[in-house]
Amino acid sequence: MEDELYLENIDEFVTDQNRIVTYKWLSYTLGVHVNQAKQMLYDYVERKRKENSGAQLHVTYLVAGNLIQNGHTCHKVAVVREDKLEAMKSKLATVTSVHVYSIQKALLKDSGPLYNTDYDIIKANLHNCSKFSAIRCADAVPRTPAEVAQARTLARSSSQTPSDTSAVSTPPLNGHGPTAAKQSSQPPKGIMGMFAAKAASKAQDANKEPKAKEAPSVSAASSKPSAKGNIMNNFFGKAAMNKLKVNSVPGQPKEEKEAVKTSVPATEPESSPNSIVEKPGRKTEPAKIQQKDKKSKMKRMDKSDNEEEREPENQKKKRKRIKQLESDSSDEEDVPASPTLEEEKAPSPPPLVPALKAELEPASTEASAGGKKRKRKRVLKSKMFVDEEEGCMVTEKVYESESCTDSEDDFAKTKPPAVPKQPALPVKKEPKEERKNQKKGAATASRANKQISIMGFCQKK
Amino acid sequence: MFSAVTPLPGRTLLGPPSAEPPTFARTGSDFADRSQPFRLGERSFSRQYAHLYATRLLCMRPRLEQQARLRWGDGVLLRKLCQLQVGERCCVVGTLFKAMRLQPSILQEINEEHNLVPQPSLAKYVDPSDELVLEDELQRIKLTGSIEASRLVTGAVLAVYGHEQEDGKFLVEEHCFAHLPPQLPWQGPSTDRFVLLASGLGLGSGSGESLLGTQLLVDAVTGQLGAEGQQSCAALISRVLLAGNLLSQSTQSRDSLHKAKYLTKKTQAASVEAVKMLDEILLQLCSSVPVDVMPGEFDPTNYTLPQQPLHRCMLPLSSAYPTLQLVTNPYQADMDGVRFLGTSGQNISDIFKYSSMDDYLEILEWTLLAGHISPTAPDTLGCYPFYNSDPFILTDCPHVYFCGNAPKFQSKLLTGEDGQRVLLVAVPAFSATQTACLVNLRDLSCQPISFSVFGAEDDSDMEVGQ
């Protein structure tokens, strides 16, 4: 009865489903050896023809053999239609194999559909494409990822030793020296090592400080399906912790605002691309956050001193957006000197946002113009943070990729072209900001922090 | 499967299914990679090419002097150009330079005074007015006499025998090249073992005609095609070597550079799709046979010779298999004790352009006799500015010397003066000819294997594959 089964299967494929049944397709579908599939096809053709000589069945054959051509023998493998089979066989000096290649209902004009059939079934079975083949290769066992990594390190070390012995002159001269490659491989290890170390320390810190506010934000972050979710959490936790420390000074509404904000950026981070990019970024995150923390603490202390000074200053600066923005940007460049570059590489708003907020909190009670100064910094640093009140953060990376936020970004980056806008905007901005001032201070801070832009107006209205 | 090997009389596949069909084990392959000289680590392009020429001359001078003594007697005078005296018959060793009128020159192109339109690329740049100049370390001298300028190319190192004339030109009576270097001892297998050489798969060309042919090739090698006899013979293929141009020339189109950004925003390079296809094909091959992949002119790797291997990140599926070897162009390896050396064809096609030789096999033989894989590098073929060594000089005579992407299949067994036996193979481009080569390692014979499928046209098309 098993014999009948495959016949029925083939019958179904050919007549009912109107498929092109190649030997390879049949072999994968029925899970049999290719030779058996070929025999099955032949058997089916024979039986069908015996039963019903008018059966509409077209068969293609594979013929292989030796051909004498121009005096030398050439091995030829050809797929031929049934009607050309004998002609082909007679052309060949010796025929080494003939078997059925495919069966189909319709007459094939060319061999394209044959290829497509095989292509599809192979694509579906890429991982075991030699399973039903007649030849097994003992060496062809795919490596596991562990072995791959091992092989890579071995290759690196083995290429170093011959280069050391064979290198006549310094490596760059003859291009034979992987010693430079060795050095370049160590820095990544260094970065990764640092990253791993930081992650470990972060894990400890984060675990030590459970806070209620952190819990929702942390859980929000941890819900992200990411391999580095844990590390992200740690950063987030640490940053949130820092932020909360600073928050204790300003006041309740700001804390609430921040909680909202941190949960919102939590939705952002993992949408950003590239784990590799994030890794060096994260390495710098701890450094930056610590730096920010210090800064924020300092600012907090200074706040009371500077507040009175700042207000008149900022009110003056309200009119002069250009200067204010420029001074903001220069401030920003001074303050986070080294991490700026890495920030641009690594889009990770949450650690940045809370840290920035830590700075902004002391400034929020000041006049909106002064807050603007701070907000400008935030804009330039953070990335891909969309919030109705905040607008998009500005970094070079965002600027390039998100053209929709051009107006805000443009304003930050291209100050001269934005100059004509500015005199008009401040006038309108001020009353809004003053209004906002009466509301939550944090809200004011966020409003002013938003880049003055046309889009901002649309959102407001 | 192959003419020399009689297939085992197995069961015919034109019959009802029989019991468990046999599976054959792939014959093992003893492999050693010898292409270390062609692998570059740190590369510095701040040097001039003069060092390369100097080291080439320095390395080849002893061999040429030895050849000169063999040909013209031990007492032949070996002179440097600065020591020449008028009328004295002597032998001079130097590098050849051919001054060609039609050779494309970038300086002429950008010279606005002349207002020249850039020259169209010709098939051949030879011209009857080409002149040969011999250069050694210090001087150069024009060559006349019985030396055929059209056949020779810049960069070849040779020894000329003649004398200097009054007009300052050197009258050549005879000349000779370095000839074949000594060959390694033969350690080939005693049973039939085959290596499949294929090149010019040309994936990503957009035309599907050669795709089924490629699939047939893969199936034949992996043992899915053919009757049992053929499959058992296919199991004797111990290695597959893909000699360049895995991607088609059409993947090189750089339209996106000239088009407006808004038109090309969502397009991706044609080579991306082609490399994915290549990965799948290589996966099928690698799961059954060791494969060496050499890059070619249109493949995503560097342009200058020696081309570095394709990066394994482009082939994620197949690079999991240890049977995949990504190797340089040119490539040298010992397969089952047989030394293979070959390129993807850029060196040969470059010599084809600048010399009157038309036959790829003839050019291949000439490079072997000249003792240098690609003499025209760096003049007309891009080359890395080596400093202390020229890895293209032939130091050992290989057993199999091949070049890929030839217009048609050709092979020849060359015997050298010292008893060296070299099989020269011009591997045809598969996308055009649907032909690959099978080299039998036991007796250094080569047989083409061609694939054909039926098309919309008639029988006559079946001859195309040959």
Side-chain angles (χ1 to χ4, degrees):
Chain A
M1 288 305 105
E2 272 186 22
D3 291 348
E4 302 302 321
L5 201 58
Y6 74 81
L7 287 172
E8 279 172 19
N9 285 339
I10 299 177
D11 196 40
E12 184 191 330
F13 295 137
V14 176
T15 35
D16 300 338
Q17 296 179 11
N18 213 5
R19 275 183 192 275
I20 299 175
V21 181
T22 59
Y23 73 91
K24 209 193 290 182
W25 189 89
L26 193 69
S27 150
Y28 279 115
T29 313
L30 296 183
V32 293
H33 193 277
V34 283
N35 289 356
Q36 276 183 328
K38 295 168 196 165
Q39 287 170 326
M40 282 178 191
L41 285 177
Y42 183 75
D43 199 28
Y44 171 77
V45 172
E46 288 296 298
R47 290 197 196 196
K48 195 80 193 252
R49 294 241 167 100
K50 244 185 279 179
E51 289 167 9
N52 177 10
S53 58
Q56 202 200 7
L57 215 56
H58 289 100
V59 191
T60 58
Y61 285 87
L62 181 101
V63 186
N66 292 322
L67 189 67
I68 310 284
Q69 201 193 16
N70 303 334
H72 62 259
T73 43
C74 161
H75 194 82
K76 190 145 176 70
V77 178
V79 175
V80 294
R81 282 191 286 246
E82 201 172 0
D83 42 354
K84 308 279 190 302
L85 177 60
E86 293 307 316
M88 193 51 155
K89 272 160 80 170
S90 60
K91 245 188 258 162
L92 297 174
T94 51
V95 177
T96 50
S97 48
V98 182
H99 66 77
V100 176
Y101 191 84
S102 77
I103 300 180
Q104 55 277 338
K105 235 168 136 181
L107 180 66
L108 286 180
K109 286 284 185 317
D110 70 270
S111 46
L114 289 178
Y115 175 71
N116 292 334
T117 317
D118 281 345
Y119 180 76
D120 292 332
I121 195 71
I122 288 171
K123 204 109 194 230
N125 288 301
L126 271 181
H127 53 280
N128 58 347
C129 38
S130 275
K131 198 163 157 197
F132 303 113
S133 152
I135 299 180
R136 294 264 184 279
C137 181
D139 300 326
V141 178
R143 286 188 277 231
T144 59
E147 284 172 12
V148 169
Q150 212 180 21
R152 233 178 284 161
T153 49
L154 273 175
R156 225 180 273 149
S157 54
S158 64
S159 63
Q160 286 159 19
T161 39
S163 73
D164 292 337
T165 52
S166 68
V168 177
S169 40
T170 58
L173 282 180
N174 246 350
H176 286 321
T179 49
K182 172 186 176 187
Q183 288 150 21
S184 65
S185 69
Q186 278 169 2
K189 277 192 201 147
I191 290 175
M192 290 312 296
M194 271 172 69
F195 173 59
K198 291 270 180 211
S201 64
K202 283 245 168 276
Q204 290 166 15
D205 289 339
N207 291 340
K208 281 183 207 154
E209 327 215 26
K211 294 235 174 175
K213 285 246 171 69
E214 282 184 26
S217 44
V218 167
S219 60
S222 61
S223 67
K224 298 295 165 287
S226 148
K228 299 167 296 302
N230 191 29
I231 299 164
M232 207 53 187
N233 280 344
N234 298 334
F235 283 139
F236 199 73
K238 176 102 180 179
M241 170 200 69
N242 292 334
K243 165 203 67 167
L244 286 165
K245 260 198 242 159
V246 176
N247 279 347
S248 61
V249 175
Q252 190 61 16
K254 285 166 206 145
E255 282 185 23
E256 286 170 11
K257 188 76 201 291
E258 281 169 7
V260 168
K261 284 198 171 184
T262 51
S263 59
V264 170
T267 63
E268 294 299 326
E270 300 315 319
S271 61
S272 57
N274 233 338
S275 50
I276 303 170
V277 174
E278 277 175 351
K279 273 184 195 163
R282 271 205 208 88
K283 162 201 78 131
T284 61
E285 290 313 324
K288 192 170 41 81
I289 287 172
Q290 285 164 4
Q291 200 177 5
K292 278 251 164 54
D293 294 341
K294 290 187 205 136
K295 210 177 20 150
S296 61
K297 283 169 194 156
M298 274 169 47
K299 288 247 164 80
R300 214 177 343 116
M301 290 188 298
D302 291 340
K303 182 195 72 159
S304 48
D305 300 334
N306 295 343
E307 215 169 340
E308 301 84 20
E309 296 173 5
R310 293 249 184 177
E311 285 199 12
E313 238 181 73
N314 292 332
Q315 277 168 356
K316 258 190 269 169
K317 287 187 180 172
K318 249 196 227 177
R319 293 279 167 180
K320 300 184 181 168
R321 297 282 165 174
I322 306 167
K323 244 197 222 163
Q324 176 199 323
L325 292 167
E326 278 173 0
S327 64
D328 282 348
S329 61
S330 61
D331 272 334
E332 239 189 85
E333 279 154 22
D334 292 340
V335 167
S338 54
T340 334
L341 291 168
E342 282 110 348
E343 285 159 23
E344 290 168 356
K345 271 191 257 167
S348 45
L352 296 167
V353 169
L356 280 165
K357 278 218 194 76
E359 294 174 20
L360 282 169
E361 291 325 303
S364 60
T365 52
E366 300 166 7
S368 52
K372 272 179 215 138
K373 191 180 175 184
R374 296 283 161 75
K375 287 159 196 163
R376 276 268 312 124
K377 285 184 193 166
R378 177 197 298 183
V379 167
L380 278 177
K381 277 183 197 161
S382 316
K383 312 169 176 53
M384 294 205 280
F385 175 61
V386 180
D387 185 297
E388 297 100 14
E389 295 163 288
E390 291 291 345
C392 288
M393 302 300 179
V394 178
T395 58
E396 285 185 5
K397 194 160 185 187
V398 172
Y399 176 58
E400 286 172 6
S401 59
E402 295 184 11
S403 55
C404 60
T405 58
D406 255 356
S407 49
E408 286 190 0
D409 303 345
D410 276 339
F411 190 77
K413 287 294 161 187
T414 63
K415 296 181 189 78
V419 165
K421 269 199 254 173
Q422 289 166 19
L425 292 170
V427 180
K428 290 193 184 161
K429 262 302 202 200
E430 278 170 82
K432 276 197 195 143
E433 277 155 4
E434 275 159 28
R435 245 185 290 131
K436 291 283 182 183
N437 265 332
Q438 290 152 23
K439 295 180 192 170
K440 300 179 184 174
T444 315
S446 57
R447 271 292 294 110
N449 181 49
K450 180 185 171 181
Q451 287 296 311
I452 293 98
S453 75
I454 306 261
M455 291 315 298
F457 284 166
C458 299
Q459 283 176 19
K460 280 313 124 190
K461 287 163 190 161
Chain B
M1 182 177 188
F2 317 116
S3 53
V5 181
T6 31
L8 300 175
R11 289 174 295 241
T12 173
L13 289 177
L14 294 175
S18 40
E20 198 53 44
T23 52
F24 308 98
R26 174 78 59 190
T27 174
S29 139
D30 179 31
F31 169 77
D33 183 16
R34 301 263 179 249
S35 62
Q36 192 53 37
F38 301 119
R39 285 188 190 253
L40 301 174
E42 271 274 303
R43 275 164 263 181
S44 152
F45 286 88
S46 57
R47 272 196 305 285
Q48 295 202 357
Y49 288 105
H51 302 283
L52 179 59
Y53 281 117
T55 188
R56 191 185 289 180
L57 184 58
L58 194 67
C59 292
M60 295 192 70
R61 185 181 277 277
R63 273 169 54 192
L64 277 163
E65 290 178 350
Q66 190 187 19
Q67 275 292 320
R69 285 195 199 93
L70 277 174
R71 298 255 318 233
W72 304 310
D74 272 335
V76 68
L77 295 166
L78 295 164
R79 291 264 184 264
K80 300 229 169 140
L81 285 176
C82 49
Q83 300 161 337
L84 279 184
Q85 290 165 25
V86 176
E88 185 193 16
R89 287 177 89 203
C90 57
C91 160
V92 185
V93 173
T95 315
L96 210 58
F97 175 75
K98 188 156 95 164
M100 290 186 279
R101 186 181 68 88
L102 292 174
Q103 181 175 0
S105 161
I106 187 68
L107 296 177
Q108 281 182 358
E109 275 182 37
I110 62 176
N111 191 339
E112 282 160 11
E113 285 177 16
H114 291 265
N115 227 7
L116 278 180
V117 183
Q119 263 187 335
S121 58
L122 303 166
K124 275 190 175 300
Y125 295 101
V126 282
D127 190 69
S129 66
D130 294 338
E131 284 182 336
L132 284 178
V133 175
L134 190 73
E135 290 187 10
D136 71 358
E137 292 91 348
L138 297 174
Q139 295 184 354
R140 51 174 14 212
I141 193 165
K142 275 204 187 147
L143 297 179
T144 53
S146 66
I147 189 162
E148 202 181 324
S150 56
R151 266 182 68 94
L152 300 172
V153 286
T154 306
V157 183
L158 76 169
V160 289
Y161 186 65
H163 63 270
E164 187 187 351
Q165 295 173 305
E166 269 91 26
D167 62 357
K169 294 193 189 175
F170 193 93
L171 185 68
V172 178
E173 294 165 29
E174 286 174 40
H175 68 277
C176 82
F177 293 100
H179 284 272
L180 299 173
Q183 195 170 47
L184 299 163
W186 174 255
Q187 286 166 358
S190 49
T191 54
D192 279 327
R193 220 174 262 192
F194 297 93
V195 170
L196 183 83
L197 294 174
S199 81
L201 291 179
L203 299 171
S205 64
S207 76
E209 291 135 17
S210 63
L211 284 177
L212 185 55
T214 316
Q215 191 59 50
L216 287 177
L217 172 68
V218 172
D219 288 343
V221 172
T222 54
Q224 304 195 357
L225 215 58
E228 278 175 20
Q230 176 147 351
Q231 287 166 342
S232 66
C233 295
L236 296 174
I237 299 180
S238 68
R239 212 161 183 92
V240 171
L241 184 61
L242 297 175
N245 282 356
L246 307 153
L247 266 48
S248 131
Q249 186 173 15
S250 49
T251 59
Q252 298 276 298
S253 83
R254 302 175 73 193
D255 285 344
S256 55
L257 285 178
H258 305 299
K259 282 193 188 155
K261 274 264 189 259
Y262 72 94
L263 286 172
T264 57
K265 201 145 187 156
K266 294 279 173 74
T267 56
Q268 67 177 7
S271 49
V272 173
E273 201 51 48
V275 169
K276 278 195 211 152
M277 249 197 290
L278 175 69
D279 196 22
E280 284 159 17
I281 289 180
L282 284 180
L283 178 66
Q284 294 171 53
L285 277 176
C286 290
S287 59
S288 172
V289 66
V291 184
D292 293 339
V293 181
M294 289 168 64
E297 195 182 341
F298 307 125
D299 293 327
T301 182
N302 60 317
Y303 163 73
T304 53
L305 286 190
Q307 281 185 301
Q308 297 303 291
L310 298 172
H311 200 282
R312 75 187 149 68
C313 70
M314 290 192 287
L315 308 168
L317 298 169
S318 39
S319 39
Y321 282 83
T323 43
L324 179 73
Q325 296 264 347
L326 298 165
V327 295
T328 56
N329 168 32
Y331 178 51
Q332 186 170 299
D334 285 335
M335 300 184 192
D336 290 317
V338 178
R339 173 65 67 97
F340 275 69
L341 172 64
T343 63
S344 299
Q346 291 115 313
N347 54 334
I348 307 297
S349 60
D350 199 59
I351 297 176
F352 174 84
K353 275 192 264 186
Y354 293 99
S355 109
S356 60
M357 293 191 274
D358 279 327
D359 194 18
Y360 268 55
L361 199 67
E362 188 189 344
I363 299 174
L364 198 62
E365 190 180 340
W366 181 82
T367 57
L368 196 60
L369 292 174
H372 198 275
I373 298 175
S374 116
T376 52
D379 184 39
T380 43
L381 188 60
C383 176
Y384 174 76
F386 289 100
Y387 182 62
N388 259 347
S389 68
D390 184 353
F392 300 116
I393 298 176
L394 287 163
T395 47
D396 302 309
C397 187
H399 296 114
V400 179
Y401 186 48
F402 65 91
C403 88
N405 298 300
K408 62 181 198 274
F409 167 77
Q410 284 169 299
S411 88
K412 178 173 161 183
L413 190 60
L414 184 74
T415 38
E417 289 159 358
D418 295 330
Q420 302 107 327
R421 278 169 71 225
V422 190
L423 175 68
L424 302 173
V425 186
V427 185
F430 194 84
S431 52
T433 59
Q434 308 278 292
T435 309
C437 315
L438 280 162
V439 176
N440 188 341
L441 298 179
R442 180 178 59 88
D443 57 1
L444 282 188
S445 63
C446 182
Q447 187 185 33
I449 174 168
S450 64
F451 300 88
S452 70
V453 293
F454 58 88
E457 299 84 8
D458 225 354
D459 263 7
S460 50
D461 260 11
M462 295 218 218
E463 306 300 316
V464 167
Q466 313 178 19

